[in-house]
Amino acid sequence: MRSSGKIYLLNIALTSSVFIAISLVMGFIPFGDNTMLTIDLGQQYIDFYSLFRDTVFNDPSQLFYSFEKAFGGEMLGLWAYYLLSPFNLIFLLFPESELGLAVTLISYLKLIAASTSFLYLIRQKYQIESIPAMLFSQCYTFMSYSMVYLLNIMWLDGLVLLPLIVLGLNKSILRKQNKLYIMSLALLLMANYYIGYMVCIFLAFYTIYEIVETQEKVNLKESLTKYLLFLKNSIIAALIAGVVLLPTFYSLTQNKGSYMTFEINWETAHSLKDIASKLFIGSFSFDEMSSGSPNLYAGMIVFLMVLLYFFNKKIKLIDKLVSLSIFLIFYLSFHFEILDKLWHGGQFPIWYHFRFSFVTSFFLLMLAVKAFKLQPKLIPTYQLVLACITIFAFSIYYYLYNEYEFLNSINIFVSLLVVLTLIIVLQLDFLDKSLRYTLLLAIVTVELTANATLILGDLNYVVDSKFRDYVTTLDDSLTNIRHGNDDFYRINKTFQRTKDEAMFTHYNGLDHFGSTIEAHVPELFGYLGLPDGNGFVTYTNGTLFTDDFFNVKYHIEPTDDSANHTLDHEYVLYPRATDLDNKSYPIYTQNNRYLIRENEERFGLAIEVSPSISDTTDSFVQHQPIYNQELLLKLIDFQGSGDAYFEERELKDGSYHNVEVTSVGDGDYLTYEVIDPTIDEAYFEFEFATDSENPYYFTLPSQYDDENVSLSLNGQRYRFYTPFRRRQITNASYQTIDDSQVLSVKLLEDSLSANLVSLYEFDENRFNDLVASKQDQLFEVSLFSQNYIEGTITTIQDEGYLLFTIPFDSQWEITVNGKNVEPEAVLNDTLMAIPITAGEHNISLKYFPRSIWFGLASSITGLMLFIGSEFYISRQKKKND
């Protein structure tokens, strides 16, 4: 075997050894009982991977639309953001119960691929020797960004493809060999458009460095020609990726893009001190995930070599000036929020800030590799002195003026010790060069392994045995209650490990957590008093009405003594919210750990409503969930009296214990202060009476959160979902007549400013009569798939409307008795309705995103331009020859 091949095998072996060492320390399966499932990887992506398998093996229609996503949603955006990595094909080789192990394998393979591609880049571009090439390859693979964002597994494709894109760019600029650049950039844009977008921004200014680096003297005309070539090739790559990009762009206009606002302000994010604090080993803590500065650490040898880069006389001054300009761009992007938002597509990221910082680390590494390649056998004394003074001053500054939780004297001392050791080894010119390089590689490998374990050790992971038990238990509970293709209903659980479990165990639910959720889905939940956020909805506290409105047939909940029947290695099931009115539904089946209740009469997937729904005056109102549910009831009960189903009841101020009200704003916005913080408890109470067995509901103010209050009802813990951002409806009482019920609010902080709680009684008997009266006018589904539905309904109004519990999306094609009908956006553009006349109707709904045709046209155009360009270049070369 040729030596050039051996180095790649040795590099793979080294990367594998580091990964195995980290896995052994962390106890990742198969080396322990921890999965790599943490934060979003455990709460989102693992469910999407099960959906990926199910779509390929069982239901391809989920590529376009799925009712496993909240109460329905388009899927192309989700696929493009999370699931188009070629590595995901490996999930097809594993059963669902083994997906935790598959995640470990794919993470490993992506790191191997990133290590190999970077090694290939620097050996091709700089002809650097084998051992130093392996050294810097390990720095790239196990840099802090890779370890911090290892849980964001879909972003790692950017690390794999960036070196190939840069190598392709280099070949294009030097020899007009465009294939590698165009195809690798197109692949990244298709595998993960989000990271691809960031790479494109980076390339816009990095290309200038590449052009300058390849010129002996700056030639503006030649530089402009090469930059135009870069732009042309980039456009061709984007066109080729159009089959993904254009449908995704449409999807973004429905979800993230709808939140986008562009305001020119110069709010600052992080100072230079914040940014540079991440250049020490182990400079990370969990809190850094939500609001921290960029993760730039890639090994102390990179820090040292970048310093020496600017001292090296073999490197042109113009190269150094362009490098400094690029560092200035990075600094400004880290410092000003407006530039940070630009990198993130116009939105300030929720958690995982500076997701583009891998390109900063990449650029640091490229400069370090060049400096190492061009360094003399012995580094000149004055350069060493200057470098040492800089590093010592840097370290002492952070030692004396440290204000970061993740940084302590040990981090600083170890980092300084590593740098000094590296300098000493570099200067041991009496040693054989291979031995010196091997010592450097050993030092850096140990350093990177330590850094990785420090970072990963600061996170919590899902235990494999508990994960397996949970998904098995949930799947067993669904065995006999999933609907077939000739019916449709939804299923709700009162317990929850993640919000995307419908995608893992394949049922039509109501929860979802994902970056591609349509904006009007959380809006609807918020209007109805259900918990919502920019990226999630969760149906933890439905009322009897919303259960029927959303066609929830089955409720799965833990038994009262479920914990007593749960073994240590099993997952404890517990309700996310106190839901007393579920008792209205008879028990369908049960075992020791869970029971299933059946809601026998519901409104179905679509319900006839009053024509006034098309009037914009019938609109939802923010922070008025009772009003909004009443509005829906009025539209459905178009033949009724118009009397309210919810009636407000008195909720009295009770006792105050170690708490006083210090401010009353508008009579409904109170500030509560703890009188004596040294006393263990501080709480206040609300008292109320229930004089019927009807359901009673609280509306809780949006300011309540499990971090600032703890609630109890009649002395028992009262569970409610947090956080939520709008007034939430929660169950207060059911089938209980009692004139002395008490809701207690315990303060967990010294002060709380919040609106008041309200109380409502719901007329259950009258509502049951309404539901019963609608059973002969339900939309009866006869054929169901995720993107195609057929059914019949008999309506009674001459000019009525049919309201679907499906989020509005103009891509739905609806026919009534064979004639096309345009869906209308109703109720603040959250739901979909069609006009309909009296009589029996056959209705079909088909979902197909028309943007796919534009995407295909783009890709065909891009491929034709690529082929034409390559043909032209080939002809020109033949002429020149």
Side-chain angles (χ1 to χ4, degrees):
M1 183 182 292
R2 293 181 304 170
S3 59
S4 59
K6 287 181 181 178
I7 189 61
Y8 291 100
L9 291 178
L10 286 171
N11 185 66
I12 290 172
L14 181 58
T15 305
S16 302
S17 299
V18 174
F19 185 84
I20 290 170
I22 293 168
S23 298
L24 284 167
V25 172
M26 303 307 304
F28 292 144
I29 53 173
F31 307 102
D33 197 31
N34 280 336
T35 66
M36 295 184 74
L37 307 181
T38 182
I39 314 179
D40 285 355
L41 181 52
Q43 296 172 6
Q44 283 181 293
Y45 315 154
I46 191 67
D47 299 316
F48 301 158
Y49 299 144
S50 181
L51 171 95
F52 176 87
R53 293 181 74 263
D54 189 56
T55 302
V56 173
F57 289 136
N58 301 315
D59 190 359
S61 67
Q62 292 186 111
L63 181 63
F64 301 131
Y65 200 88
S66 179
F67 285 90
E68 295 175 9
K69 177 186 176 185
F71 61 100
E74 68 83 28
M75 292 295 289
L76 285 180
L78 187 145
W79 278 82
Y81 188 74
Y82 295 105
L83 296 175
L84 291 188
S85 168
F87 288 89
N88 288 350
L89 293 172
I90 293 170
F91 286 119
L92 302 180
L93 306 177
F94 289 79
E96 287 178 338
S97 61
E98 299 287 350
L99 288 184
L101 178 59
V103 166
T104 304
L105 176 60
I106 291 176
S107 301
Y108 162 70
L109 292 176
K110 288 192 176 187
L111 292 177
I112 287 289
S115 179
T116 303
S117 67
F118 190 79
L119 179 67
Y120 183 65
L121 164 65
I122 59 179
R123 280 176 61 79
Q124 290 286 312
K125 181 172 164 51
Y126 292 119
Q127 290 78 49
I128 190 168
E129 295 174 79
S130 298
I131 297 176
M134 288 174 58
L135 182 155
F136 287 108
S137 173
Q138 298 307 304
C139 290
Y140 180 69
T141 308
F142 295 103
M143 60 186 176
S144 285
Y145 180 96
S146 305
M147 297 299 98
V148 171
Y149 294 122
L150 193 60
L151 66 147
N152 291 105
I153 190 171
M154 68 281 185
W155 296 347
L156 299 183
D157 288 55
L159 301 185
V160 174
L161 290 168
L162 177 58
L164 298 180
I165 292 168
V166 167
L167 180 59
L169 177 66
N170 179 260
K171 288 185 174 184
S172 175
I173 289 170
L174 283 176
R175 297 185 289 277
K176 291 188 178 180
Q177 295 177 359
N178 304 320
K179 295 177 186 175
L180 179 61
Y181 176 74
I182 291 173
M183 299 315 294
S184 56
L185 180 58
L187 179 58
L188 177 58
L189 290 171
M190 288 188 282
N192 193 279
Y193 69 88
Y194 185 62
I195 295 298
Y197 163 79
M198 297 174 187
V199 167
C200 287
I201 293 178
F202 170 65
L203 292 172
F205 51 82
Y206 176 77
T207 301
I208 298 171
Y209 176 80
E210 276 282 351
I211 292 171
V212 168
E213 187 185 31
T214 57
Q215 295 176 334
E216 290 187 15
K217 284 188 177 182
V218 176
N219 184 317
L220 290 178
K221 183 179 179 181
E222 180 189 350
S223 298
L224 180 59
T225 301
K226 289 182 175 180
Y227 198 84
L228 290 174
L229 175 64
F230 151 72
L231 290 177
K232 183 203 77 171
N233 289 337
S234 300
I235 291 169
I236 291 174
L239 286 171
I240 292 172
V243 69
V244 170
L245 295 182
L246 288 181
T248 300
F249 177 77
Y250 172 78
S251 172
L252 286 171
T253 63
Q254 307 302 304
N255 47 73
K256 276 185 171 290
S258 63
Y259 296 118
M260 195 178 298
T261 57
F262 191 79
E263 260 177 56
I264 296 180
N265 65 66
W266 296 101
E267 296 276 335
T268 58
H270 291 285
S271 66
L272 184 60
K273 181 182 178 183
D274 297 335
I275 298 164
S277 68
K278 289 296 189 67
L279 294 174
F280 294 97
I281 188 171
S283 49
F284 172 79
S285 69
F286 179 77
D287 292 340
E288 289 292 296
M289 296 291 247
S290 60
S291 59
S293 52
N295 297 284
L296 302 179
Y297 176 88
M300 297 310 295
I301 194 164
V302 176
F303 187 7
L304 174 63
M305 286 298 150
V306 170
L307 284 176
L308 295 176
Y309 172 92
F310 291 100
F311 297 146
N312 196 312
K313 293 181 179 179
K314 294 181 182 179
I315 298 173
K316 302 193 301 288
L317 177 61
I318 186 64
D319 290 14
K320 296 173 183 176
L321 292 175
V322 173
S323 299
L324 286 171
S325 300
I326 291 174
F327 282 131
L328 178 62
I329 292 171
F330 283 131
Y331 165 69
L332 294 175
S333 301
F334 298 144
H335 185 65
F336 291 109
E337 287 187 1
I338 188 171
L339 297 179
D340 182 30
K341 286 175 68 175
L342 177 64
W343 281 93
H344 293 94
Q347 285 190 308
F348 200 68
I350 303 172
W351 278 51
Y352 320 118
H353 288 204
F354 307 108
R355 302 170 187 186
F356 63 90
S357 60
F358 71 96
V359 295
T360 312
S361 297
F362 173 84
F363 186 62
L364 286 167
L365 273 157
M366 293 300 287
L367 298 188
V369 170
K370 185 168 184 176
F372 191 93
K373 169 70 177 177
L374 297 177
Q375 71 169 337
K377 185 177 181 182
L378 278 178
I379 302 170
T381 304
Y382 81 94
Q383 291 186 16
L384 278 180
V385 170
L386 288 173
C388 287
I389 289 173
T390 303
I391 292 167
F392 268 105
F394 179 76
S395 302
I396 291 170
Y397 175 79
Y398 280 97
Y399 178 77
L400 294 175
Y401 302 102
N402 179 30
E403 56 188 44
Y404 304 100
E405 175 191 345
F406 56 80
L407 198 56
N408 55 47
S409 57
I410 296 175
N411 300 78
I412 296 169
F413 174 76
V414 171
S415 300
L416 187 57
L417 182 63
V418 169
V419 172
L420 292 175
T421 305
L422 292 170
I423 290 172
I424 291 169
V425 173
L426 283 167
Q427 294 300 91
L428 296 177
D429 64 320
F430 60 86
L431 290 180
D432 178 75
K433 187 165 65 172
S434 296
L435 180 57
R436 272 196 298 154
Y437 288 167
T438 302
L439 284 172
L440 289 174
L441 178 59
I443 294 166
V444 170
T445 302
V446 172
E447 173 199 2
L448 292 169
T449 305
N451 180 66
T453 53
L454 286 170
I455 289 172
L456 296 175
D458 212 50
L459 305 175
N460 294 317
Y461 302 92
V462 175
V463 176
D464 187 50
S465 57
K466 292 182 183 292
F467 172 73
R468 287 169 181 263
D469 171 69
Y470 183 87
V471 297
T472 301
T473 301
L474 180 56
D475 190 55
D476 289 345
S477 73
L478 294 161
T479 299
N480 296 315
I481 63 172
R482 294 184 183 93
H483 70 75
N485 61 5
D486 59 350
D487 195 4
F488 177 86
Y489 49 81
R490 296 183 174 98
I491 298 170
N492 178 53
K493 303 178 289 75
T494 66
F495 56 88
Q496 183 184 88
R497 195 191 71 82
T498 78
K499 299 180 186 69
D500 294 303
E501 288 165 352
M503 293 180 170
F504 196 103
T505 40
H506 317 305
Y507 65 93
N508 298 322
L510 284 159
D511 307 323
H512 182 62
F513 171 32
S515 294
T516 63
I517 191 170
E518 293 87 336
H520 46 278
V521 172
E523 285 297 308
L524 177 65
F525 269 52
Y527 284 131
L528 297 181
L530 299 162
D532 76 290
N534 283 354
F536 78 88
V537 292
T538 184
Y539 193 79
T540 59
N541 47 278
T543 62
L544 292 184
F545 164 62
T546 59
D547 288 349
D548 289 344
F549 178 71
F550 283 114
N551 198 24
V552 179
K553 184 175 183 179
Y554 294 106
H555 294 265
I556 311 173
E557 60 187 60
T559 57
D560 291 339
D561 61 346
S562 179
N564 296 330
H565 297 280
T566 304
L567 303 176
D568 290 342
H569 69 277
E570 294 176 332
Y571 194 99
V572 177
L573 307 178
Y574 64 93
R576 295 302 300 268
T578 299
D579 199 348
L580 305 172
D581 59 14
N582 265 7
K583 296 174 185 175
S584 66
Y585 309 125
I587 294 176
Y588 175 78
T589 187
Q590 71 179 95
N591 64 21
N592 289 332
R593 296 178 66 189
Y594 64 83
L595 59 85
I596 300 173
R597 297 182 183 273
E598 182 178 10
N599 180 13
E600 295 170 325
E601 292 186 336
R602 307 166 308 284
F603 288 134
L605 179 61
I607 183 72
E608 184 181 6
V609 296
S610 164
S612 68
I613 195 171
S614 63
D615 190 340
T616 55
T617 57
D618 275 347
S619 299
F620 291 140
V621 179
Q622 287 280 13
H623 305 293
Q624 297 292 330
I626 295 295
Y627 171 87
N628 297 330
Q629 291 200 21
E630 281 285 5
L631 172 60
L632 282 171
L633 281 160
K634 181 180 74 172
L635 292 169
I636 294 168
D637 190 13
F638 51 82
Q639 293 178 307
S641 64
D643 294 339
Y645 284 84
F646 291 91
E647 290 288 346
E648 187 167 10
R649 298 298 181 228
E650 184 179 16
L651 192 63
K652 301 176 184 177
D653 249 2
S655 61
Y656 287 80
H657 177 78
N658 194 30
V659 174
E660 61 180 348
V661 176
T662 59
S663 175
V664 178
D666 299 328
D668 185 37
Y669 188 75
L670 280 62
T671 298
Y672 305 90
E673 299 277 354
V674 176
I675 297 172
D676 184 356
T678 63
I679 298 177
D680 287 343
E681 287 195 342
Y683 61 88
F684 58 93
E685 295 177 336
F686 296 104
E687 297 177 353
F688 64 99
T690 53
D691 54 11
S692 78
E693 293 189 342
N694 278 331
Y696 286 75
Y697 297 101
F698 297 124
T699 63
L700 299 181
S702 61
Q703 299 86 4
Y704 280 16
D705 189 287
D706 56 12
E707 293 185 356
N708 58 33
V709 299
S710 173
L711 304 184
S712 60
L713 180 64
N714 302 322
Q716 301 295 315
R717 179 181 178 182
Y718 187 83
R719 298 178 186 270
F720 67 109
Y721 183 88
T722 69
F724 55 97
R725 57 183 180 176
R726 285 174 274 210
R727 188 168 279 267
Q728 182 178 169
I729 299 178
T730 63
N731 211 189
S733 178
Y734 184 63
Q735 295 180 346
T736 302
I737 298 175
D738 190 336
D739 60 1
S740 59
Q741 299 209 55
V742 176
L743 175 69
S744 178
V745 183
K746 178 181 177 181
L747 298 188
L748 303 180
E749 297 178 349
D750 290 341
S751 67
L752 169 71
S753 295
N755 295 104
L756 289 171
V757 180
S758 298
L759 179 71
Y760 293 84
E761 180 182 0
F762 183 70
D763 192 337
E764 182 180 12
N765 289 332
R766 183 167 157 241
F767 175 68
N768 287 340
D769 290 342
L770 171 64
V771 176
S773 72
K774 297 292 181 181
Q775 295 308 296
D776 292 333
Q777 295 136 38
L778 296 181
F779 179 60
E780 299 285 348
V781 173
S782 57
L783 180 61
F784 174 85
S785 72
Q786 297 293 346
N787 71 330
Y788 184 79
I789 305 167
E790 284 185 9
T792 58
I793 190 170
T794 300
T795 53
I796 60 177
Q797 297 177 97
D798 291 334
E799 294 183 349
Y801 265 78
L802 191 61
L803 175 64
F804 295 92
T805 53
I806 299 176
F808 174 76
D809 191 324
S810 61
Q811 304 295 303
W812 280 105
E813 297 176 8
I814 303 177
T815 64
V816 178
N817 299 326
K819 295 181 179 179
N820 290 330
V821 178
E822 195 71 24
E824 297 180 19
V826 295
L827 298 169
N828 305 67
D829 299 333
T830 58
L831 292 168
M832 184 168 67
I834 57 171
I836 203 160
T837 57
E840 185 175 334
H841 305 285
N842 295 307
I843 297 174
S844 71
L845 300 91
K846 180 181 179 181
Y847 188 89
F848 184 80
R850 294 180 285 275
S851 54
I852 283 180
W853 299 122
F854 297 104
L856 283 171
S858 169
S859 293
I860 292 169
T861 303
L863 287 170
M864 291 175 64
L865 288 172
F866 172 67
I867 294 168
S869 175
E870 288 301 304
F871 180 74
Y872 175 78
I873 291 171
S874 177
R875 288 282 301 271
Q876 289 298 110
K877 283 182 179 178
K878 284 181 181 179
K879 282 184 180 180
N880 294 335
D881 291 342

